[in-house]
Amino acid sequence: MRNPIPGTAITITDLAARLGAPFEGQGDVIVSKAAEPQDAGEGDLALAMSPKFAPALAQSRASAAVLWQGADWQSFGLKAAILVSRGRLAMAGVTATFDPGLGLAPGVHPTAVIDPSAQIGIGAAIGPLTVIGAGARIGKNARIAAQVSIGAGVTIGDDALIHPGVKIGARATIGDRLIAQPGGVIGADGFSFVTQEKSAVEEARESLGETVEAAGQAWMRIASVGSVVIGDDVELGANVTIDQGTIRATRIGDGCKLDNQVHIGHNVVVGRHCLLCGQVGIAGSTVIGDFCVMGGQAGAADNLTIGAGAIIGAGTGVLSNVPKGKAMMGYPAVAMQTHVEMYKALRRLPRLIGKLRGDG
């Protein structure tokens, strides 16, 4: 079935087909937007995929609902219901159906500045005050909002959705179906500096701090002449920053999802279908395998390898290599179960010390 135009009304029959789920009742009922049960009115689709929402649904005036399997939908006064086994999966299809998008019509806004050598794909929409540099190539049906900056030589695939204020530096290569939320920066220079002689930082790393002296030196900049390469179906949250490589490219694999304020340092390689939550930071030249997950405010030091399928808990500091498939937590990162035991032991310390002192 062809997908409906986002933001338009749809019948229960068509929506159920889109979700791949059965429906009961009147398939010709039309719904125009989704709503939480307590807020749903006539013509709305109530989302109540768990029995815990039954009391709110009973007070609703919704025409139809998405419900848990086995629900007695008629008892809620509904005309129709779609019954799903995985509520969150159904939510993805429902929200995609009713997403109104950015409202950008195909064409180039008169205030946009596009270099004559840039190539704009068929059906693309270029918003107000957007700048596209020399030799850039924008794929078909791209939707680029206001005040976006796209540098020289950038390639962006088909069906991109780029929100206001995104900045894409020169020579970046981006696959199909990119989604970039407001304020992101792709292709800034990496944070690379060197001193004339061996620095205190290098000495500290080699000696573990034994021979560090107070004297310092001026830092000289190492230019970033690499690029950024991003695969297909990547989503970047608000204010994501991805540095370009020093010599080779910084790479983000197909299907990766980066949350708000994630920072990817120069030369980092992120594998396919990784999930990096808010404020994750990856230092330069670290390699992350496929299907990894990093919780909010987790960080990884430079030049490490995090194996495929690893799960890094929120707030974890990864200071050494992580084997594939390991779940890690804490600072420094240890196996998740070990961290839980350490935390339990830490909470018991005051009582144990009191016993040693003979208190109470």
Side-chain angles (χ1 to χ4, degrees):
M1 184 194 74
R2 184 178 179 182
N3 291 346
I5 299 172
T8 60
I10 186 172
T11 66
I12 291 299
T13 298
D14 288 344
L15 181 58
R18 182 178 174 85
L19 300 181
F23 76 90
E24 297 181 8
Q26 303 173 31
D28 59 353
V29 169
I30 296 175
V31 289
S32 57
K33 70 181 181 71
E36 293 187 354
Q38 67 275 11
D39 300 326
E42 185 70 25
D44 292 344
L45 178 74
L47 302 182
M49 286 85 87
S50 168
K52 68 181 181 180
F53 297 115
L57 185 61
Q59 305 300 318
S60 171
R61 296 184 295 108
S63 301
V66 181
L67 302 178
W68 64 97
Q69 284 189 339
D72 181 9
W73 62 274
Q74 290 173 311
S75 68
F76 299 108
L78 300 168
K79 297 178 182 177
I82 300 172
L83 307 176
V84 299
S85 57
R86 292 194 63 200
R88 193 164 178 81
L89 183 60
M91 184 77 76
V94 170
T95 55
T97 298
F98 295 112
D99 181 4
L102 296 182
L104 292 172
V108 178
H109 193 276
T111 63
V113 178
I114 301 177
D115 189 275
S117 64
Q119 300 176 33
I120 309 299
I122 295 172
I126 311 298
L129 302 176
T130 283
V131 177
I132 300 178
R137 290 184 293 169
I138 310 299
K140 60 186 179 182
N141 300 320
R143 290 161 291 164
I144 301 175
Q147 296 184 317
V148 171
S149 174
I150 297 175
V154 168
T155 298
I156 299 174
D158 297 342
D159 301 306
L161 174 59
I162 301 178
H163 287 254
V166 172
K167 308 294 187 291
I168 302 176
R171 304 180 305 281
T173 300
I174 300 170
D176 296 338
R177 297 174 296 279
L178 170 75
I179 297 178
Q181 300 293 333
V185 177
I186 301 169
D189 279 354
F191 193 69
S192 298
F193 300 90
V194 67
T195 54
Q196 189 72 42
E197 305 295 337
K198 184 181 291 187
S199 70
V201 173
E202 294 172 278
E203 291 180 0
R205 178 170 287 190
E206 292 174 1
S207 68
L208 299 181
E210 287 188 8
T211 60
V212 176
E213 298 180 358
Q217 302 178 58
W219 296 96
M220 294 184 296
R221 184 174 184 272
I222 298 175
S224 297
V225 297
S227 60
V228 174
V229 176
I230 296 176
D232 296 337
D233 300 300
V234 171
E235 300 195 22
L236 306 176
N239 297 319
V240 161
T241 53
I242 302 173
D243 290 347
Q244 62 184 337
T246 306
I247 301 297
R248 60 179 170 86
T250 301
R251 294 182 176 271
I252 310 294
D254 292 347
C256 285
K257 315 300 181 187
L258 279 57
D259 194 7
N260 298 345
Q261 298 180 323
V262 167
H263 174 66
I264 305 295
H266 61 277
N267 303 340
V268 167
V269 176
V270 180
R272 299 175 301 122
H273 302 290
C274 292
L275 189 71
L276 307 184
C277 300
Q279 299 184 334
V280 160
I282 311 297
S285 300
T286 283
V287 176
I288 300 175
D290 298 341
F291 303 105
C292 288
V293 176
M294 298 186 70
Q297 295 191 321
D302 60 297
N303 292 282
L304 300 180
T305 298
I306 298 176
I311 297 174
I312 311 299
T316 295
V318 179
L319 304 181
S320 59
N321 293 338
V322 175
K324 66 179 182 180
K326 292 287 288 185
M328 308 290 285
M329 184 176 284
Y331 186 91
V334 295
M336 193 170 289
Q337 187 59 45
T338 301
H339 173 78
V340 171
E341 294 302 319
M342 291 167 61
Y343 178 68
K344 289 178 180 178
L346 186 64
R347 293 189 63 183
R348 288 194 292 264
L349 273 179
R351 186 169 69 251
L352 292 174
I353 291 173
K355 287 183 178 179
L356 290 174
R357 289 174 174 170
D359 298 345

